[in-house]
Amino acid sequence: MCRSLPKYALIFLLLALSGLIFVLRNIHTVESWNCHTITSLYQLQSRIQSSFIPVNLPTFYHNRTFCAHLGQKPSPEDELEERYLLDSIAWPGPSPPSTPTALRFTSDPVHSLFAILPTKKGREWHVGDQLEVLVQMHDFQGRPKRYGGDFLVGRLHSPELGAGVAGEVLDHKNGFYSALFPLLWVGSAQVEITLVHSSEAVAVLQRLREERPDRVFFKSLFRLGYLSETTVCNMCLPPDQQPLCNYTDLYTGEPWYCYKPKMLSCDTRINHAKGGYLKHLITNKEALLFQSGVNIKVHIHASGPDRINVLPQRKVEIESSSIKPEPLKLASSGYYYEDTWRPLSGVTMRQFNQSSAIVQCLKNKVINMYGDSTVRQWFEYLIAFVPELKEFNLHSPKNVGPFMAVDSTHNILLKYRCHGPPIRFTTVLSSEMRYISNELDGLSGGPNTVVVLSIWAHFSTFPVEAYIRRLRHIRRAIIRLLERAPGTLVVIRSANLQALDQEVSLYNSDWFSLQLDKVLRAMFKEMDVLLMDAWQMTLAHHLPHALHPPPAIVKNMIDMLMSYICPAKKKI
Ligand SMILES: *[C@@H]1O[C@H](CO)[C@@H](O)[C@H](O)[C@H]1NC(C)=O
Ligand SMILES: *[C@@H]1O[C@H](CO)[C@@H](O)[C@H](O)[C@H]1NC(C)=O
Ligand SMILES: *[C@@H]1O[C@H](CO)[C@@H](O)[C@H](O)[C@H]1NC(C)=O
């Protein structure tokens, strides 16, 4: 016993020493070994604490909408608009929607078919015509579906010509769907119809959206002196479980809450971060509705030919005919030709292949980008493509920002800042957590100011009312900005399609994005702002869908943005 003691002591000493070395190494990776050591220890501590977070998650009653009616009550006009918007995105589906359906009765893309109309031979198609495609959905047993609600997308394309255009899908609510395409180029055109989700899967997503706003959760670190605590945060938290810290924004009334730390006060909040994603949201039976390669983004086959040959535009035969055929107004905002986006509404697309052209365009301008990572991508594209734009080191966390780039020779300032909560970024400092509408209120604006907004991806786990409320605040701020500083250019980037599997679908499905996107378009329709149709730009393109679209698409978006900022001189 007496002889073994020194041996153990040696082991303990070694253990203690290696522990110290471990701590020192960790501290060195975070910050240098000086007066900041305490900070590093906190960071180490918070990293350890964050792994225990899910234990303290709140219990939601999953039978009602929590988030929708938290926050300020909308005015009667706002409430009216909200009801109109919600009606306009109402989605048809199985009724009653909540009955769980066996997979064999649900929509199966392999058994479903489409046909180009008319199916009889002899029809000629010309540029300027509209192509109609009829889709009939069947279930896994091959029986025709009798109700609508399937989420389908359509694309007409020609790989040889680098051409593509998004179609418009109409739901006849009886298992049949029409997909309409404008014919915009001469040559071959191939139809592609994709089932994104079955109507039964959409019903599950709809339920998750209303009842599980907690499926993505957030956290904040609180710190005072040596004490630090991390708690769960969200746009809404059940109020009857633990005391809350109320971070409702004073200017907009945007709600945000964290659980109150046990020892610290609410004003010791240091940061905001994505907490995590809840698992086990759906039953095993429901999980069958979300199978990659089976019923998530699977092509539907044609019963006959899937392509046509488009002839040049018809000569107008009777020039002064009073019965001019009314061209059906399709909702196409543009199309690709030779892999270049060609907008159909107003603006002429210019190519900005040289960085000097971008510098020339942005001379004397301040470009303020606000929003999610899909607009941060534009910032990144610009600083990578334009060597004159030097990123100014604000010591911001990677991928979070705020970021800033300057070309002092040409007097260009480019800025990016993420939107406020529920932003799902890794650690954003509380001091950098700002709402877009408040930021816009702080802009002087004017003809040399460009504002670019992208706000969609982080709202898909909440009821649509939360998104409407956010956009309402941003819209008011834009109206104030355009009133006090006419000539300010405001560009709004829409949502885009992304790669989906089961996991991504439950939190970020294109179905959520589509619904938000319709709301966004409706709310800014009458406004003096320009829309960048990222939805159609990603749908019409041949590259696979991705949350962050590939460079070939971003190049088109940047060219479009520059064409908005520096429109082509009108030829006389
Ligand atoms: C939701 O469920 C909780 C607990 O089961 C119950 O107390 C509450 O009344 C329910 N609310 C609604 C709106 O059904
Ligand atoms: C949070 O604060 C806002 C604004 O002060 C207030 O309107 C709201 O009722 C508060 N929320 C709760 C749950 O107390
Ligand atoms: C820009 O590049 C594309 C593709 O390389 C080319 O087709 C186009 O003509 C170029 N435009 C200009 C203005 O240089």
Side-chain angles (χ1 to χ4, degrees), residues 338 340 350-354 555 559:
E338 291 172 344
T340 301
R350 294 177 58 197
Q351 300 271 305
F352 290 80
N353 293 358
Q354 260 76 50
K555 155 87 163 79
D559 281 352

Side-chain angles (χ1 to χ4, degrees), residues 61-64:
Y61 305 122
H62 299 140
N63 57 357
R64 61 186 157 131

Side-chain angles (χ1 to χ4, degrees), residues 266-279:
C266 293
D267 53 17
T268 60
R269 183 174 63 150
I270 299 294
N271 65 33
H272 161 95
K274 174 178 75 187
Y277 296 79
L278 291 190
K279 304 286 171 215

Side-chain angles (χ1 to χ4, degrees), residues 97 137 220 224 260 309 344 409 497 548:
M137 297 304 295
S220 275
L224 184 69
K260 191 186 166 302
N309 187 47
L344 287 168
T409 312
L497 293 107
H548 300 118

Side-chain angles (χ1 to χ4, degrees), residues 149-211:
D150 295 302
F151 178 18
L152 300 168
V153 293
R155 182 166 89 97
L156 188 70
H157 66 119
S158 166
E160 314 85 68
L161 300 171
V165 66
E168 192 178 334
V169 176
L170 306 176
D171 186 345
H172 299 297
K173 301 182 187 170
N174 55 4
F176 286 94
Y177 298 78
S178 292
L180 307 175
F181 303 93
L183 298 180
L184 297 161
W185 61 83
V186 175
S188 105
Q190 186 178 344
V191 175
E192 183 185 279
I193 304 286
T194 307
L195 175 77
V196 183
H197 293 303
S198 66
S199 56
E200 294 80 9
V202 171
V204 172
L205 297 179
Q206 203 152 5
R207 194 199 70 222
L208 288 178
R209 186 179 65 187
E210 304 312 320
E211 297 180 3

Side-chain angles (χ1 to χ4, degrees), residues 330-349:
L330 276 179
S332 293
S333 58
Y335 65 107
Y336 287 102
Y337 193 77
E338 291 172 344
D339 290 322
T340 301
W341 183 251
R342 302 194 171 188
L344 287 168
S345 48
V347 66
T348 308
M349 183 79 154

